[in-house]
Amino acid sequence: MAVVDPRAPIRADHRFIHKLVGLTLKSGFDPHAAEYDRISRVFLQAGGSWERIFHGSPSDIDLLKRVVKVAGKHGWLTKKEKWD
């Protein structure tokens, strides 16, 4: 049986959002599962489709990027802890 890594999301939509957060928001965010769910819910309410994303739809990927940017800008994502 495969070992589950708590730092890597299990669901495909969470993994995709996790990758976009890392690429889009360079300032060190570490979202939780509930935050991934919230981004996914907002994306769907804005007219996005996960099926179209996984088929490579550029317009849906752009919409999801905009949702991730807004979530980071408004503080809806958990920031990484700074260890000095």
Side-chain angles (χ1 to χ4, degrees), residues 26 28 80:
K26 303 285 185 185
K80 286 186 180 177

Side-chain angles (χ1 to χ4, degrees), residues 25 27 29 66-77 79:
L25 306 173
S27 60
F29 288 91
R66 286 187 280 151
V67 170
V68 167
K69 285 180 184 178
V70 168
K73 181 180 178 182
H74 291 299
W76 296 335
L77 299 175
K79 292 190 176 187

Side-chain angles (χ1 to χ4, degrees), residues 15-66:
R15 285 192 304 268
F16 198 88
I17 294 169
H18 182 77
K19 185 166 182 93
L20 275 183
V21 167
L23 293 173
T24 307
L25 306 173
K26 303 285 185 185
S27 60
F29 288 91
D30 189 25
H32 298 289
E35 294 164 347
Y36 292 135
D37 286 334
R38 184 176 189 183
I39 289 173
S40 180
R41 199 170 44 247
V42 169
F43 169 69
L44 292 174
Q45 289 173 349
S49 165
W50 286 107
E51 184 176 355
R52 288 192 307 253
I53 276 194
F54 291 123
H55 283 289
S57 169
S59 61
D60 285 312
I61 293 172
D62 183 54
L63 176 62
L64 183 58
K65 282 182 185 178
R66 286 187 280 151

